[in-house]
Amino acid sequence: MVAASVQFGIHPPARRVIVHVSDTHLLAGDRLLGGHYDSTGHLVQTLRAVERLGIRPDAIVFTGDLTDLGEPEAYDRLRAVVDPVAVRLGAPIVWVAGNHDERPALRQALLGDAATQEPVTGVWDLGGLRLIALDSSVPGWHHGDIDERQLSWLRDTLAAPAPLGTLIALHHPPLPSHVPLFDILELRHQDALAEILSGTDVRGILAGHLHYSTSGTFAGIPVSVAAATCYTMNLARPPADVNGMDAGQSFHLVHVYDDTITHSVVPVVDAPTGEYFDAAWLERMSRLTPEERLEAFSRKPIR
């Protein structure tokens, strides 16, 4: 079987691959979220989809709202669902705190640390790609913020560049939203964060919180927001009427290249799929010269 990393075009294979998942919102006892959404079942479906990719990601990043009420049992359930998949894929898990999370229970159940209100932060070296997790949660509130001590730590951490650059992961995206509710719950004091990130080796920001996929730039840095696995926001409505729907769940595949980073939305859905491309097709194409590939595949048929 020919690996998907075979190069046909001008871009070499990605240097690193990250699975970006967000807003799982698990409840203790696998209760339905809001009485409607099977958040545990949707997470299981999502992880099955991740495993079907047939890749070994360099990390699996969960950008917050890991549980809905911060229940210790919900964190235990989350770890029981995710850990076996991460072990099979050989990938480290990066847990990011969200506004629905409770730091003490998260730290104890997922990190094996003391149950304190200390921000949940960390740094991972993914073969030269640095990944920094920030904690934008504010205990007792749903808006986001990053305290002065965390900002100082971030400044010191970014003082020396990493070989492949840095990705930042946090829950509240430093982006505007056209949905009125999210204006209330946005990340505050964004100017302080922008001042620290400007001129550093940060190449991208991964976030969640919005329950819909979107992207933009912050301090000149690309920002990619992954939709939720529990439920998503139905944007096919006027802004004031946007509400949740049990559809459109997805995760992101992040491919890190030398000169760019791509963020691909992967839908979690069972749907009929064509069978034209497969490993055998890739094998055949890899044996052709570039000119033969152009002739066999790129030329339009004569009508």
Side-chain angles (χ1 to χ4, degrees):
M1 180 177 178
V2 177
S5 60
V6 63
Q7 180 181 347
F8 290 147
I10 63 173
H11 298 284
R15 300 287 294 271
R16 301 291 178 267
V17 180
I18 293 171
V19 171
H20 177 194
V21 181
S22 200
D23 292 86
T24 51
H25 282 266
L26 263 60
L27 285 164
D30 292 342
R31 306 191 313 276
L32 295 181
L33 181 62
H36 300 287
Y37 309 111
D38 183 5
S39 56
T40 300
H42 288 322
L43 173 60
V44 170
Q45 288 180 313
T46 298
L47 295 176
R48 287 174 180 165
V50 170
E51 291 200 86
R52 285 197 299 268
L53 296 174
I55 65 171
R56 295 182 66 85
D58 295 281
I60 306 173
V61 181
F62 288 80
T63 50
D65 282 359
L66 310 171
T67 69
D68 191 62
L69 298 175
E71 302 160 299
E73 298 88 347
Y75 288 112
D76 290 339
R77 178 64 170 139
L78 177 64
R79 186 166 187 176
V81 171
V82 176
D83 273 2
V85 176
V87 169
R88 288 194 292 270
L89 295 178
I93 307 169
V94 177
W95 303 113
V96 177
N99 53 288
H100 278 262
D101 290 305
E102 295 292 340
R103 290 175 179 174
L106 188 163
R107 295 181 67 85
Q108 187 171 50
L110 300 183
L111 306 181
D113 289 344
T116 70
Q117 286 288 1
E118 287 295 307
V120 180
T121 61
V123 181
W124 287 260
D125 179 1
L126 307 177
L129 175 69
R130 180 168 53 194
L131 178 63
I132 298 176
L134 297 178
D135 190 341
S136 59
S137 69
V138 181
W141 298 86
H142 282 297
H143 67 271
D145 209 345
I146 301 175
D147 60 36
E148 287 294 334
R149 189 172 66 167
Q150 199 176 158
L151 289 174
S152 178
W153 169 79
L154 177 62
R155 180 183 287 108
D156 292 343
T157 302
L158 292 175
L164 297 181
T166 297
L167 290 178
I168 299 289
L170 77 169
H171 182 64
H172 297 78
L175 291 178
S177 173
H178 74 285
V179 182
L181 168 65
F182 292 111
D183 287 349
I184 304 170
L185 308 179
E186 69 185 4
L187 179 68
R188 299 185 180 179
H189 302 107
Q190 295 183 20
D191 53 343
L193 178 61
E195 186 273 326
I196 290 175
L197 297 184
S198 295
T200 68
D201 72 338
V202 175
R203 302 178 60 192
I205 299 172
L206 311 181
H209 187 50
L210 302 181
H211 286 237
Y212 65 86
S213 181
T214 189
S215 60
T217 57
F218 175 73
I221 300 167
V223 180
S224 178
V225 180
T229 64
C230 59
Y231 69 86
T232 66
M233 304 304 287
N234 186 356
L235 298 185
R237 306 178 72 172
D241 293 332
V242 170
N243 278 273
M245 63 179 180
D246 199 2
Q249 286 88 350
S250 64
F251 62 94
H252 282 189
L253 263 181
V254 183
H255 287 86
V256 179
Y257 300 86
D258 286 332
D259 57 354
T260 192
I261 299 176
T262 63
H263 305 263
S264 304
V265 178
V266 184
V268 180
V269 62
D270 291 324
T273 304
E275 301 295 339
Y276 184 84
F277 301 107
D278 58 15
W281 180 92
L282 188 62
E283 173 70 29
R284 291 194 301 271
M285 292 295 287
S286 70
R287 293 176 179 175
L288 301 179
T289 66
E291 293 76 15
E292 290 171 332
R293 282 197 292 271
L294 284 172
E295 185 67 29
F297 188 69
S298 296
R299 185 186 294 276
K300 292 182 178 180
I302 297 175
R303 292 184 174 88

